[in-house]
Amino acid sequence: MSRAQALDRLAGEQFDVLIVGGGITGAGVARDAALRGLSVALVEARDFASGTSSRSSKLIHGGLRYLEQGEIALVREAARERAVLRRMAPHLAMVAPMLVPVFGRTKAGIYKLKAGLALFDRLAGVPRSERHRILTSDEALVEEPRLARERLQGAALYPEYLADDARLVLDTIKSAGDAGATVANYVRVLAFGQAAPLRAVHLEDVEAGASLTTRARVVVNAAGPWVDELRTLDGSAAGSRLHLTKGIHLVFRAEDLPVRHCVVMRASDRRPVFAVPYERYVYVGTTDTSYEGPLDEPPVTPEDAEYLLDAVRRSFDGLTIGTADVIGAWAGLRPLVHEEGKRPSEISRKDEIIVSPSGMVTIAGGKLTTYRRMAERVMEKTEALLGRTLPPSKSATLPLAGGDLDGATNLVDYARSTTVRRRFDGVPDDTTTRLLGRYGSDALAVATAGGGVESLRPLGAGTLLSEAEVRYAVRGEMARTVTDVLERRSRVALFATGSARAVAPRVASILAEELGWSEARRAQELAAFERAATARLAWRASGG
Ligand code: FAD
């Protein structure tokens, strides 16, 4: 369904459920509800995943850190959900071995970690092949030769998983659409009418500056950091409120921060921060500080950056890394539920669901990792509000968009299938592998979006993004702006802002062809991207 068709439906139809917010939480609810046969609409004020859901650490946590906080139920849930994601989206869940070095004067730290990991393996039901290993300091240095040697007592090594967060959202949105949901980006909720039995919801088509009204039996508020704004519009802002905390990440070239594993480092305040190898980059994150500024583009500050740079310097020997080495950065806001007297990093990551007197279901808190279970819990409340029994959720058993590998259980086998070999005939193997890793089975549609092998070549130096992917982003994933393509359909702007700038004019020209932009509009869209790209690394000038 195109965006124009979605707008027609929003104006002309009424829905069982209207979801506000196209981050991972809203996307998960839309998919679950549509798979249960409900009529579903989802509106997103900006682009899908433009809020917190494209700015996370991208870890699909097994839940080890919740063990430290004594949140056993969350440990089990995170571990189960990680296994579900690997099954339903084999193209998205990438194994990422985690190495935790232990420093100290004695071996006490190693024994404590070993006991914690043994408990974790048992609670989380970790299969034998994925259980942790304890390394001596010599073994740890073989794995990570640049680790700081002084007082290194050893390390633990165990598998974690990574997933491109924005792609997880896009594939979940696509699955919801495939199951019949009406989804549209750049549609903002402005106001609510009276509640029961059908609630009018007043919307703005942000692109056209036009207003429209849709109707739904139940409204789900999945607006992440904006949930309290929606609760105010609903007249139900009393009670629990959000405590927003900001987390930033910095990106380096892999050669400037040569790590082979996700390395857990200790910051100056003893908080764990990660160095994560990802494609040709290594990103470092994250911070956790209370935040009260504007929600749309939270800034990276020189202090945030120095906190992470300091953690890198104290964890590795001989790395003289500084702000000039940073080639990309992002900042996101955790929509946590306020807990009196707790510091940002102590606040629970558990989700909370609140049903207002008008019947609006608000979901706050939570994690990317547990989004599917969060959606099931929202549907339990929705079922009660709809007053009818719904079929059980199918969200754990059906593959996500891109995850249906024709019976193959992994991408390597899928790449050998006749369908894939035929469609990618003449395409270099590394391109095929890259596209399958990014889009799963949807790579078949990407391959034909640009018309020929030529259109799968990189658009410019420093990025592998191709013309076919840009065209597919518009046709298959509702991209509307240069930033949509370079920040979320691909991640070039996040990981290598300079490379994104270099290809932006070409991306703008392809979008102009696809979306029928005038020359003036093309220039305007390019300028908007340039402004965002400049702002992304602006803190480097002030930080020295
Ligand atoms: P969002 O993604 O912010 O989505 C809400 C959407 O609502 C936005 O897109 C917004 O534009 C839209 N919206 C707002 N107002 C309106 C309106 N009026 N009309 C229509 N739409 C509206 N989780 C993990 O599992 N693993 C991690 O490694 C991890 N790392 C993290 C690191 C950081 C720094 C942060 C900040 C979070 C991290 N998380 C992680 C948590 C995870 O990213 C979040 O829990 C999750 O992305 C929240 O998604 P959401 O859909 O609730 O919010």
PDB file of all heavy atoms in Angstrom, residues 169-205:
ATOM      1  N   VAL A 169      12.475  -2.115  12.848  1.00  0.00           N
ATOM      2  CA  VAL A 169      11.203  -1.377  12.816  1.00  0.00           C
ATOM      3  C   VAL A 169      10.588  -1.480  11.419  1.00  0.00           C
ATOM      4  O   VAL A 169       9.405  -1.804  11.263  1.00  0.00           O
ATOM      5  CB  VAL A 169      11.414   0.105  13.190  1.00  0.00           C
ATOM      6  CG1 VAL A 169      10.107   0.885  13.041  1.00  0.00           C
ATOM      7  CG2 VAL A 169      11.956   0.248  14.599  1.00  0.00           C
ATOM      8  N   LEU A 170      11.394  -1.210  10.384  1.00  0.00           N
ATOM      9  CA  LEU A 170      10.856  -1.207   9.012  1.00  0.00           C
ATOM     10  C   LEU A 170      10.290  -2.570   8.642  1.00  0.00           C
ATOM     11  O   LEU A 170       9.208  -2.670   8.061  1.00  0.00           O
ATOM     12  CB  LEU A 170      11.948  -0.799   8.013  1.00  0.00           C
ATOM     13  CG  LEU A 170      12.369   0.675   8.113  1.00  0.00           C
ATOM     14  CD1 LEU A 170      13.676   0.922   7.368  1.00  0.00           C
ATOM     15  CD2 LEU A 170      11.271   1.585   7.558  1.00  0.00           C
ATOM     16  N   ASP A 171      11.006  -3.632   8.992  1.00  0.00           N
ATOM     17  CA  ASP A 171      10.515  -4.974   8.651  1.00  0.00           C
ATOM     18  C   ASP A 171       9.256  -5.322   9.449  1.00  0.00           C
ATOM     19  O   ASP A 171       8.383  -6.037   8.963  1.00  0.00           O
ATOM     20  CB  ASP A 171      11.620  -6.028   8.872  1.00  0.00           C
ATOM     21  CG  ASP A 171      12.674  -5.969   7.765  1.00  0.00           C
ATOM     22  OD1 ASP A 171      12.418  -5.306   6.738  1.00  0.00           O
ATOM     23  OD2 ASP A 171      13.749  -6.570   7.924  1.00  0.00           O
ATOM     24  N   THR A 172       9.159  -4.803  10.672  1.00  0.00           N
ATOM     25  CA  THR A 172       7.948  -5.049  11.469  1.00  0.00           C
ATOM     26  C   THR A 172       6.769  -4.263  10.882  1.00  0.00           C
ATOM     27  O   THR A 172       5.654  -4.773  10.772  1.00  0.00           O
ATOM     28  CB  THR A 172       8.196  -4.670  12.952  1.00  0.00           C
ATOM     29  OG1 THR A 172       9.400  -5.322  13.384  1.00  0.00           O
ATOM     30  CG2 THR A 172       7.062  -5.104  13.845  1.00  0.00           C
ATOM     31  N   ILE A 173       7.043  -3.022  10.461  1.00  0.00           N
ATOM     32  CA  ILE A 173       5.994  -2.207   9.818  1.00  0.00           C
ATOM     33  C   ILE A 173       5.536  -2.886   8.514  1.00  0.00           C
ATOM     34  O   ILE A 173       4.353  -2.971   8.216  1.00  0.00           O
ATOM     35  CB  ILE A 173       6.544  -0.786   9.493  1.00  0.00           C
ATOM     36  CG1 ILE A 173       6.853  -0.017  10.774  1.00  0.00           C
ATOM     37  CG2 ILE A 173       5.635  -0.031   8.542  1.00  0.00           C
ATOM     38  CD1 ILE A 173       5.774   0.872  11.302  1.00  0.00           C
ATOM     39  N   LYS A 174       6.505  -3.373   7.737  1.00  0.00           N
ATOM     40  CA  LYS A 174       6.146  -4.036   6.473  1.00  0.00           C
ATOM     41  C   LYS A 174       5.284  -5.269   6.750  1.00  0.00           C
ATOM     42  O   LYS A 174       4.311  -5.527   6.057  1.00  0.00           O
ATOM     43  CB  LYS A 174       7.405  -4.445   5.697  1.00  0.00           C
ATOM     44  CG  LYS A 174       8.071  -3.269   4.989  1.00  0.00           C
ATOM     45  CD  LYS A 174       9.031  -3.733   3.913  1.00  0.00           C
ATOM     46  CE  LYS A 174      10.404  -4.011   4.453  1.00  0.00           C
ATOM     47  NZ  LYS A 174      11.365  -4.449   3.449  1.00  0.00           N
ATOM     48  N   SER A 175       5.652  -6.033   7.799  1.00  0.00           N
ATOM     49  CA  SER A 175       4.863  -7.225   8.150  1.00  0.00           C
ATOM     50  C   SER A 175       3.448  -6.820   8.536  1.00  0.00           C
ATOM     51  O   SER A 175       2.491  -7.502   8.168  1.00  0.00           O
ATOM     52  CB  SER A 175       5.474  -7.950   9.354  1.00  0.00           C
ATOM     53  OG  SER A 175       6.746  -8.390   9.071  1.00  0.00           O
ATOM     54  N   ALA A 176       3.323  -5.727   9.289  1.00  0.00           N
ATOM     55  CA  ALA A 176       1.986  -5.259   9.683  1.00  0.00           C
ATOM     56  C   ALA A 176       1.190  -4.906   8.426  1.00  0.00           C
ATOM     57  O   ALA A 176       0.018  -5.273   8.286  1.00  0.00           O
ATOM     58  CB  ALA A 176       2.107  -4.047  10.606  1.00  0.00           C
ATOM     59  N   GLY A 177       1.850  -4.211   7.500  1.00  0.00           N
ATOM     60  CA  GLY A 177       1.188  -3.842   6.238  1.00  0.00           C
ATOM     61  C   GLY A 177       0.773  -5.080   5.453  1.00  0.00           C
ATOM     62  O   GLY A 177      -0.339  -5.167   4.936  1.00  0.00           O
ATOM     63  N   ASP A 178       1.671  -6.063   5.386  1.00  0.00           N
ATOM     64  CA  ASP A 178       1.352  -7.305   4.659  1.00  0.00           C
ATOM     65  C   ASP A 178       0.148  -8.012   5.289  1.00  0.00           C
ATOM     66  O   ASP A 178      -0.600  -8.707   4.608  1.00  0.00           O
ATOM     67  CB  ASP A 178       2.550  -8.280   4.677  1.00  0.00           C
ATOM     68  CG  ASP A 178       3.725  -7.740   3.859  1.00  0.00           C
ATOM     69  OD1 ASP A 178       3.507  -6.783   3.080  1.00  0.00           O
ATOM     70  OD2 ASP A 178       4.850  -8.259   4.024  1.00  0.00           O
ATOM     71  N   ALA A 179      -0.005  -7.844   6.608  1.00  0.00           N
ATOM     72  CA  ALA A 179      -1.128  -8.498   7.300  1.00  0.00           C
ATOM     73  C   ALA A 179      -2.398  -7.644   7.237  1.00  0.00           C
ATOM     74  O   ALA A 179      -3.396  -7.981   7.864  1.00  0.00           O
ATOM     75  CB  ALA A 179      -0.747  -8.778   8.753  1.00  0.00           C
ATOM     76  N   GLY A 180      -2.341  -6.513   6.517  1.00  0.00           N
ATOM     77  CA  GLY A 180      -3.552  -5.725   6.284  1.00  0.00           C
ATOM     78  C   GLY A 180      -3.606  -4.389   7.007  1.00  0.00           C
ATOM     79  O   GLY A 180      -4.578  -3.644   6.846  1.00  0.00           O
ATOM     80  N   ALA A 181      -2.592  -4.039   7.812  1.00  0.00           N
ATOM     81  CA  ALA A 181      -2.638  -2.756   8.533  1.00  0.00           C
ATOM     82  C   ALA A 181      -2.438  -1.587   7.566  1.00  0.00           C
ATOM     83  O   ALA A 181      -1.725  -1.713   6.567  1.00  0.00           O
ATOM     84  CB  ALA A 181      -1.564  -2.723   9.619  1.00  0.00           C
ATOM     85  N   THR A 182      -3.067  -0.467   7.891  1.00  0.00           N
ATOM     86  CA  THR A 182      -2.879   0.780   7.140  1.00  0.00           C
ATOM     87  C   THR A 182      -1.811   1.577   7.883  1.00  0.00           C
ATOM     88  O   THR A 182      -2.012   1.914   9.054  1.00  0.00           O
ATOM     89  CB  THR A 182      -4.207   1.567   7.133  1.00  0.00           C
ATOM     90  OG1 THR A 182      -5.167   0.780   6.444  1.00  0.00           O
ATOM     91  CG2 THR A 182      -4.058   2.923   6.471  1.00  0.00           C
ATOM     92  N   VAL A 183      -0.675   1.831   7.237  1.00  0.00           N
ATOM     93  CA  VAL A 183       0.410   2.520   7.947  1.00  0.00           C
ATOM     94  C   VAL A 183       0.862   3.743   7.144  1.00  0.00           C
ATOM     95  O   VAL A 183       0.954   3.682   5.924  1.00  0.00           O
ATOM     96  CB  VAL A 183       1.635   1.587   8.188  1.00  0.00           C
ATOM     97  CG1 VAL A 183       1.278   0.438   9.116  1.00  0.00           C
ATOM     98  CG2 VAL A 183       2.203   1.056   6.896  1.00  0.00           C
ATOM     99  N   ALA A 184       1.117   4.834   7.841  1.00  0.00           N
ATOM    100  CA  ALA A 184       1.568   6.043   7.134  1.00  0.00           C
ATOM    101  C   ALA A 184       2.546   6.817   8.003  1.00  0.00           C
ATOM    102  O   ALA A 184       2.306   7.008   9.198  1.00  0.00           O
ATOM    103  CB  ALA A 184       0.380   6.935   6.783  1.00  0.00           C
ATOM    104  N   ASN A 185       3.653   7.249   7.372  1.00  0.00           N
ATOM    105  CA  ASN A 185       4.566   8.147   8.072  1.00  0.00           C
ATOM    106  C   ASN A 185       4.195   9.593   7.742  1.00  0.00           C
ATOM    107  O   ASN A 185       3.368   9.861   6.874  1.00  0.00           O
ATOM    108  CB  ASN A 185       6.039   7.827   7.745  1.00  0.00           C
ATOM    109  CG  ASN A 185       6.317   7.730   6.255  1.00  0.00           C
ATOM    110  OD1 ASN A 185       5.440   7.943   5.435  1.00  0.00           O
ATOM    111  ND2 ASN A 185       7.550   7.401   5.892  1.00  0.00           N
ATOM    112  N   TYR A 186       4.789  10.521   8.464  1.00  0.00           N
ATOM    113  CA  TYR A 186       4.499  11.947   8.325  1.00  0.00           C
ATOM    114  C   TYR A 186       3.009  12.241   8.499  1.00  0.00           C
ATOM    115  O   TYR A 186       2.430  13.030   7.757  1.00  0.00           O
ATOM    116  CB  TYR A 186       5.073  12.491   7.001  1.00  0.00           C
ATOM    117  CG  TYR A 186       6.590  12.385   6.999  1.00  0.00           C
ATOM    118  CD1 TYR A 186       7.239  11.349   6.332  1.00  0.00           C
ATOM    119  CD2 TYR A 186       7.354  13.275   7.740  1.00  0.00           C
ATOM    120  CE1 TYR A 186       8.622  11.210   6.385  1.00  0.00           C
ATOM    121  CE2 TYR A 186       8.738  13.149   7.792  1.00  0.00           C
ATOM    122  CZ  TYR A 186       9.353  12.113   7.121  1.00  0.00           C
ATOM    123  OH  TYR A 186      10.718  11.987   7.183  1.00  0.00           O
ATOM    124  N   VAL A 187       2.392  11.573   9.461  1.00  0.00           N
ATOM    125  CA  VAL A 187       1.000  11.855   9.847  1.00  0.00           C
ATOM    126  C   VAL A 187       0.976  11.977  11.365  1.00  0.00           C
ATOM    127  O   VAL A 187       1.271  11.024  12.081  1.00  0.00           O
ATOM    128  CB  VAL A 187       0.044  10.729   9.381  1.00  0.00           C
ATOM    129  CG1 VAL A 187      -1.360  10.993   9.906  1.00  0.00           C
ATOM    130  CG2 VAL A 187       0.030  10.610   7.863  1.00  0.00           C
ATOM    131  N   ARG A 188       0.658  13.181  11.830  1.00  0.00           N
ATOM    132  CA  ARG A 188       0.755  13.468  13.273  1.00  0.00           C
ATOM    133  C   ARG A 188      -0.632  13.522  13.912  1.00  0.00           C
ATOM    134  O   ARG A 188      -1.560  14.072  13.319  1.00  0.00           O
ATOM    135  CB  ARG A 188       1.429  14.840  13.434  1.00  0.00           C
ATOM    136  CG  ARG A 188       1.607  15.317  14.866  1.00  0.00           C
ATOM    137  CD  ARG A 188       2.138  16.751  14.890  1.00  0.00           C
ATOM    138  NE  ARG A 188       3.420  16.844  14.217  1.00  0.00           N
ATOM    139  CZ  ARG A 188       4.595  16.548  14.776  1.00  0.00           C
ATOM    140  NH1 ARG A 188       4.641  16.144  16.033  1.00  0.00           N
ATOM    141  NH2 ARG A 188       5.709  16.661  14.087  1.00  0.00           N
ATOM    142  N   VAL A 189      -0.753  12.962  15.101  1.00  0.00           N
ATOM    143  CA  VAL A 189      -2.001  13.114  15.869  1.00  0.00           C
ATOM    144  C   VAL A 189      -1.997  14.502  16.493  1.00  0.00           C
ATOM    145  O   VAL A 189      -1.048  14.872  17.194  1.00  0.00           O
ATOM    146  CB  VAL A 189      -2.116  12.038  16.972  1.00  0.00           C
ATOM    147  CG1 VAL A 189      -3.271  12.356  17.906  1.00  0.00           C
ATOM    148  CG2 VAL A 189      -2.297  10.659  16.361  1.00  0.00           C
ATOM    149  N   LEU A 190      -3.068  15.279  16.211  1.00  0.00           N
ATOM    150  CA  LEU A 190      -3.161  16.631  16.762  1.00  0.00           C
ATOM    151  C   LEU A 190      -4.099  16.702  17.947  1.00  0.00           C
ATOM    152  O   LEU A 190      -3.867  17.452  18.889  1.00  0.00           O
ATOM    153  CB  LEU A 190      -3.688  17.591  15.684  1.00  0.00           C
ATOM    154  CG  LEU A 190      -2.823  17.838  14.460  1.00  0.00           C
ATOM    155  CD1 LEU A 190      -3.526  18.787  13.513  1.00  0.00           C
ATOM    156  CD2 LEU A 190      -1.478  18.422  14.888  1.00  0.00           C
ATOM    157  N   ALA A 191      -5.190  15.928  17.892  1.00  0.00           N
ATOM    158  CA  ALA A 191      -6.206  16.022  18.948  1.00  0.00           C
ATOM    159  C   ALA A 191      -7.109  14.801  18.916  1.00  0.00           C
ATOM    160  O   ALA A 191      -7.177  14.105  17.899  1.00  0.00           O
ATOM    161  CB  ALA A 191      -7.047  17.287  18.742  1.00  0.00           C
ATOM    162  N   PHE A 192      -7.752  14.558  20.062  1.00  0.00           N
ATOM    163  CA  PHE A 192      -8.717  13.457  20.138  1.00  0.00           C
ATOM    164  C   PHE A 192     -10.115  14.027  20.345  1.00  0.00           C
ATOM    165  O   PHE A 192     -10.288  15.019  21.053  1.00  0.00           O
ATOM    166  CB  PHE A 192      -8.408  12.561  21.345  1.00  0.00           C
ATOM    167  CG  PHE A 192      -7.088  11.848  21.236  1.00  0.00           C
ATOM    168  CD1 PHE A 192      -6.031  12.196  22.064  1.00  0.00           C
ATOM    169  CD2 PHE A 192      -6.900  10.835  20.307  1.00  0.00           C
ATOM    170  CE1 PHE A 192      -4.810  11.542  21.981  1.00  0.00           C
ATOM    171  CE2 PHE A 192      -5.675  10.170  20.212  1.00  0.00           C
ATOM    172  CZ  PHE A 192      -4.631  10.527  21.048  1.00  0.00           C
ATOM    173  N   GLY A 193     -11.115  13.347  19.742  1.00  0.00           N
ATOM    174  CA  GLY A 193     -12.508  13.698  20.013  1.00  0.00           C
ATOM    175  C   GLY A 193     -13.008  12.891  21.202  1.00  0.00           C
ATOM    176  O   GLY A 193     -12.228  12.271  21.924  1.00  0.00           O
ATOM    177  N   GLN A 194     -14.343  12.892  21.384  1.00  0.00           N
ATOM    178  CA  GLN A 194     -14.958  12.101  22.467  1.00  0.00           C
ATOM    179  C   GLN A 194     -14.574  10.638  22.309  1.00  0.00           C
ATOM    180  O   GLN A 194     -14.381  10.169  21.192  1.00  0.00           O
ATOM    181  CB  GLN A 194     -16.479  12.223  22.395  1.00  0.00           C
ATOM    182  CG  GLN A 194     -17.008  13.604  22.765  1.00  0.00           C
ATOM    183  CD  GLN A 194     -16.702  13.953  24.214  1.00  0.00           C
ATOM    184  OE1 GLN A 194     -16.762  13.097  25.079  1.00  0.00           O
ATOM    185  NE2 GLN A 194     -16.348  15.210  24.473  1.00  0.00           N
ATOM    186  N   ALA A 195     -14.557   9.905  23.420  1.00  0.00           N
ATOM    187  CA  ALA A 195     -14.157   8.494  23.356  1.00  0.00           C
ATOM    188  C   ALA A 195     -15.296   7.615  22.815  1.00  0.00           C
ATOM    189  O   ALA A 195     -15.682   7.764  21.670  1.00  0.00           O
ATOM    190  CB  ALA A 195     -13.666   8.038  24.706  1.00  0.00           C
ATOM    191  N   ALA A 196     -15.841   6.709  23.646  1.00  0.00           N
ATOM    192  CA  ALA A 196     -16.706   5.616  23.186  1.00  0.00           C
ATOM    193  C   ALA A 196     -17.895   6.084  22.336  1.00  0.00           C
ATOM    194  O   ALA A 196     -18.369   7.200  22.537  1.00  0.00           O
ATOM    195  CB  ALA A 196     -17.225   4.892  24.427  1.00  0.00           C
ATOM    196  N   PRO A 197     -18.462   5.277  21.435  1.00  0.00           N
ATOM    197  CA  PRO A 197     -17.897   3.965  21.100  1.00  0.00           C
ATOM    198  C   PRO A 197     -16.790   4.074  20.048  1.00  0.00           C
ATOM    199  O   PRO A 197     -15.913   3.239  19.994  1.00  0.00           O
ATOM    200  CB  PRO A 197     -19.108   3.213  20.525  1.00  0.00           C
ATOM    201  CG  PRO A 197     -19.958   4.288  19.914  1.00  0.00           C
ATOM    202  CD  PRO A 197     -19.751   5.529  20.746  1.00  0.00           C
ATOM    203  N   LEU A 198     -16.853   5.127  19.211  1.00  0.00           N
ATOM    204  CA  LEU A 198     -15.800   5.288  18.198  1.00  0.00           C
ATOM    205  C   LEU A 198     -15.142   6.616  18.448  1.00  0.00           C
ATOM    206  O   LEU A 198     -15.814   7.646  18.528  1.00  0.00           O
ATOM    207  CB  LEU A 198     -16.434   5.349  16.811  1.00  0.00           C
ATOM    208  CG  LEU A 198     -16.429   4.107  15.946  1.00  0.00           C
ATOM    209  CD1 LEU A 198     -17.005   4.436  14.590  1.00  0.00           C
ATOM    210  CD2 LEU A 198     -15.023   3.529  15.788  1.00  0.00           C
ATOM    211  N   ARG A 199     -13.820   6.620  18.558  1.00  0.00           N
ATOM    212  CA  ARG A 199     -13.155   7.872  18.880  1.00  0.00           C
ATOM    213  C   ARG A 199     -12.666   8.563  17.611  1.00  0.00           C
ATOM    214  O   ARG A 199     -11.998   7.935  16.779  1.00  0.00           O
ATOM    215  CB  ARG A 199     -11.972   7.574  19.793  1.00  0.00           C
ATOM    216  CG  ARG A 199     -11.398   8.839  20.359  1.00  0.00           C
ATOM    217  CD  ARG A 199     -10.510   8.583  21.522  1.00  0.00           C
ATOM    218  NE  ARG A 199     -10.599   9.716  22.436  1.00  0.00           N
ATOM    219  CZ  ARG A 199      -9.759   9.946  23.420  1.00  0.00           C
ATOM    220  NH1 ARG A 199      -8.793   9.095  23.658  1.00  0.00           N
ATOM    221  NH2 ARG A 199      -9.889  11.004  24.192  1.00  0.00           N
ATOM    222  N   ALA A 200     -12.980   9.845  17.468  1.00  0.00           N
ATOM    223  CA  ALA A 200     -12.435  10.609  16.344  1.00  0.00           C
ATOM    224  C   ALA A 200     -11.013  11.029  16.704  1.00  0.00           C
ATOM    225  O   ALA A 200     -10.760  11.458  17.830  1.00  0.00           O
ATOM    226  CB  ALA A 200     -13.283  11.842  16.094  1.00  0.00           C
ATOM    227  N   VAL A 201     -10.093  10.857  15.772  1.00  0.00           N
ATOM    228  CA  VAL A 201      -8.702  11.272  16.010  1.00  0.00           C
ATOM    229  C   VAL A 201      -8.324  12.228  14.892  1.00  0.00           C
ATOM    230  O   VAL A 201      -8.404  11.890  13.708  1.00  0.00           O
ATOM    231  CB  VAL A 201      -7.755  10.049  16.045  1.00  0.00           C
ATOM    232  CG1 VAL A 201      -6.337  10.489  16.363  1.00  0.00           C
ATOM    233  CG2 VAL A 201      -8.235   9.012  17.046  1.00  0.00           C
ATOM    234  N   HIS A 202      -7.964  13.448  15.285  1.00  0.00           N
ATOM    235  CA  HIS A 202      -7.665  14.485  14.291  1.00  0.00           C
ATOM    236  C   HIS A 202      -6.181  14.452  13.957  1.00  0.00           C
ATOM    237  O   HIS A 202      -5.330  14.500  14.852  1.00  0.00           O
ATOM    238  CB  HIS A 202      -8.101  15.850  14.819  1.00  0.00           C
ATOM    239  CG  HIS A 202      -9.547  15.852  15.225  1.00  0.00           C
ATOM    240  ND1 HIS A 202     -10.564  15.671  14.317  1.00  0.00           N
ATOM    241  CD2 HIS A 202     -10.136  15.933  16.448  1.00  0.00           C
ATOM    242  CE1 HIS A 202     -11.727  15.658  14.953  1.00  0.00           C
ATOM    243  NE2 HIS A 202     -11.488  15.821  16.251  1.00  0.00           N
ATOM    244  N   LEU A 203      -5.907  14.363  12.658  1.00  0.00           N
ATOM    245  CA  LEU A 203      -4.538  14.136  12.189  1.00  0.00           C
ATOM    246  C   LEU A 203      -4.094  15.248  11.254  1.00  0.00           C
ATOM    247  O   LEU A 203      -4.925  15.905  10.614  1.00  0.00           O
ATOM    248  CB  LEU A 203      -4.480  12.816  11.401  1.00  0.00           C
ATOM    249  CG  LEU A 203      -5.022  11.557  12.069  1.00  0.00           C
ATOM    250  CD1 LEU A 203      -5.100  10.420  11.055  1.00  0.00           C
ATOM    251  CD2 LEU A 203      -4.123  11.170  13.239  1.00  0.00           C
ATOM    252  N   GLU A 204      -2.790  15.398  11.155  1.00  0.00           N
ATOM    253  CA  GLU A 204      -2.225  16.302  10.151  1.00  0.00           C
ATOM    254  C   GLU A 204      -1.357  15.502   9.192  1.00  0.00           C
ATOM    255  O   GLU A 204      -0.466  14.760   9.642  1.00  0.00           O
ATOM    256  CB  GLU A 204      -1.357  17.371  10.831  1.00  0.00           C
ATOM    257  CG  GLU A 204      -0.772  18.351   9.821  1.00  0.00           C
ATOM    258  CD  GLU A 204       0.328  19.239  10.405  1.00  0.00           C
ATOM    259  OE1 GLU A 204       0.735  19.023  11.571  1.00  0.00           O
ATOM    260  OE2 GLU A 204       0.805  20.121   9.669  1.00  0.00           O
ATOM    261  N   ASP A 205      -1.624  15.613   7.899  1.00  0.00           N
ATOM    262  CA  ASP A 205      -0.706  15.074   6.898  1.00  0.00           C
ATOM    263  C   ASP A 205       0.424  16.101   6.810  1.00  0.00           C
ATOM    264  O   ASP A 205       0.271  17.160   6.211  1.00  0.00           O
ATOM    265  CB  ASP A 205      -1.451  14.923   5.562  1.00  0.00           C
ATOM    266  CG  ASP A 205      -0.504  14.650   4.403  1.00  0.00           C
ATOM    267  OD1 ASP A 205       0.729  14.624   4.614  1.00  0.00           O
ATOM    268  OD2 ASP A 205      -0.997  14.474   3.279  1.00  0.00           O
TER     269      ASP A 205
END
